[in-house]
Amino acid sequence: MDVLHERCAGIDISKRDAKVCVRTPSPKRKGMFTQQTVTFGATTNAILDLREHLLDADVTLVVMEATGDYWKPFYYLLTEELNVILVNARQVKNLPGRKTDVSDAAWLAQLGSHGLVRASFVPPQPVRELRDLTRARTQLTRERAQVAQRLEKLLEDAGIKLSAVVSDLMGVSGRAMLQALIDGQRDPHILADLAKRRMRSKIPELSQALTGRFREHHAFLTRLYLDQYDHLSGAINQLTARVEEAMTPFRPALDLLDTIPGVNRAVAEVIVAETGGDMARFPSAKHLASWAGLCPGHHESAGRVRSTRVRPGNPYLKGALGMAAFGAARTKDSFLQARYKRLTARRGPIKALVAVEHSIITAIWHMLNDNVPYHELGGSYFTQRDPERAARRAVSRLNQLGYRVTLDPMDAAG
């Protein structure tokens, strides 16, 4: 194979140190290469020494494997003066039975010298900081939801079926009733009378649901969960304010993404943070969908196609797109809802949601690449695209119900 980089280095990184293999041409025999492996620490000073070591060796390419978060200090410091690429660990696996840190570093150096590795997407610093904010907000939002679930389990233990009547335990009415329970009120009629606005129509059901055996033990844990919920809500609000400040350079992209059905402000912020908002990194919409893990996998052997499940992708981006797809599937008279219903009947709701996610990520690439808003095709798009097929399907369904149908086309004027 052709050698693209005669002087290449491979780095296998761990928490405490890194094995660095430098591959250079052999001074004794033409066409041969020598490999020298050295161990460096993972502290900042040790990484700076590593950088000087690579510069002295005139290395033109450094290949490192994405291992947890341990690659970050190496990547950030080495990229200041060297050509560094980060590669996906799934794409550079070593041969079975030869798995050591030293052999992994040598394997990375060999792959890099022949150009057999593909660089992973590492966004610039402003986007990385934005990612930290949106990912922290997502994590805290999940933790807050878990606190609400723990509170619901606690109320079940006390025989309080409030969640069966109130859709949101942390709403105004639910919080008022929980606070009264903590303060020692046990009369279900007085508790039910604390309902606000539309919840007052459910006072009889609330009286039944609030009859239980709520004790001091439950009051203590309820107060603990409410305080934890409020603390997480305050942290989420702080992150949201910080995200809005960091999103100022990406405001045009956010305005475009807001036009997609199912994509709200929070989802749009996650999409911009994970993709960087710049589609120049992705040659086509297919590349973006593949990078996001929304394309079917290929596993064919001996003429038989095995699992075609989608590949693992960015969990934060896929989670945001899942929320967008779920909202789009419930948006009336929209193309995405029509696509979801069309696929659900024969492929099931899960695969239909993945298909809607694929449609959304494809639209995102075209919108951000061409700087155009979302163009709604309408809920009747598939019917208008092939009206004869739609008519045949309608007639077939009526025939299955025992009807004999005669079609009489209407005139264009009628």
Side-chain angles (χ1 to χ4, degrees), residues 142-270:
R142 292 173 181 171
E143 293 178 8
R144 186 176 64 175
Q146 291 174 356
V147 172
Q149 291 173 352
R150 295 190 194 106
L151 177 58
E152 182 178 357
K153 290 183 178 181
L154 178 66
L155 294 178
E156 290 290 337
D157 182 75
I160 303 296
K161 306 290 291 186
L162 186 60
S163 60
V165 183
V166 178
S167 59
D168 184 11
L169 280 176
M170 298 302 176
V172 177
S173 300
R175 289 295 293 261
M177 298 172 193
L178 292 175
Q179 185 60 50
L181 285 169
I182 294 172
D183 294 338
Q185 182 58 252
R186 298 294 183 267
D187 190 336
H189 300 287
I190 297 178
L191 293 172
D193 194 54
L194 296 174
K196 310 293 183 183
R197 299 176 182 174
R198 290 184 297 177
M199 286 300 301
R200 297 197 63 83
S201 62
K202 299 182 179 181
I203 287 181
E205 293 89 342
L206 288 171
S207 299
Q208 296 293 328
L210 290 167
T211 302
R213 48 186 188 88
F214 195 90
R215 303 190 305 274
E216 182 62 28
H217 167 73
H218 301 108
F220 171 78
L221 288 178
T222 300
R223 179 73 274 166
L224 187 68
Y225 289 147
L226 291 179
D227 291 342
Q228 188 178 4
Y229 186 91
D230 294 338
H231 175 73
L232 291 173
S233 297
I236 292 171
N237 293 335
Q238 293 179 19
L239 284 171
T240 300
R242 191 63 179 263
V243 168
E244 290 180 358
E245 294 178 4
M247 278 290 176
T248 302
F250 307 98
R251 197 69 60 188
L254 285 178
D255 295 337
L256 290 176
L257 295 178
D258 273 342
T259 61
I260 303 177
V263 177
N264 56 22
R265 197 70 171 182
V267 171
E269 290 171 349
V270 173

Side-chain angles (χ1 to χ4, degrees), residues 257-264 324-325 327-329 331 334-336 360 374 376:
L257 295 178
D258 273 342
T259 61
I260 303 177
V263 177
N264 56 22
T331 303
S334 66
F335 164 78
L336 296 175
I360 292 176
Y374 179 78
E376 178 58 62

Side-chain angles (χ1 to χ4, degrees), residues 74-108:
F74 287 87
Y75 184 89
Y76 298 156
L77 291 174
L78 295 181
T79 49
E80 295 178 356
E81 299 186 24
L82 292 165
N83 178 23
V84 184
I85 62 174
L86 184 72
V87 297
N88 192 328
R90 297 176 66 249
Q91 299 176 0
V92 292
K93 284 186 176 181
N94 204 345
L95 296 177
R98 299 174 58 181
K99 179 72 176 68
T100 65
D101 294 342
V102 175
S103 64
D104 285 349
W107 179 246
L108 291 174

Side-chain angles (χ1 to χ4, degrees), residues 96-154:
R98 299 174 58 181
K99 179 72 176 68
T100 65
D101 294 342
V102 175
S103 64
D104 285 349
W107 179 246
L108 291 174
Q110 185 176 356
L111 292 177
S113 65
H114 295 292
L116 297 178
V117 290
R118 183 170 50 188
S120 298
F121 172 49
V122 180
Q125 181 177 352
V127 180
R128 294 200 301 263
E129 294 177 353
L130 184 59
R131 274 187 177 184
D132 292 339
L133 295 173
T134 56
R135 290 180 178 184
R137 183 178 61 180
T138 300
Q139 189 63 35
L140 291 181
T141 302
R142 292 173 181 171
E143 293 178 8
R144 186 176 64 175
Q146 291 174 356
V147 172
Q149 291 173 352
R150 295 190 194 106
L151 177 58
E152 182 178 357
K153 290 183 178 181
L154 178 66

Side-chain angles (χ1 to χ4, degrees), residues 2-29:
D2 295 335
V3 177
L4 302 182
H5 299 276
E6 290 188 343
R7 295 179 173 271
C8 183
I11 305 178
D12 184 79
I13 303 171
S14 65
K15 183 177 182 178
R16 297 182 180 275
D17 56 29
K19 300 296 189 293
V20 182
C21 177
V22 178
R23 190 173 189 268
T24 57
S26 174
K28 298 181 179 179
R29 187 175 179 182

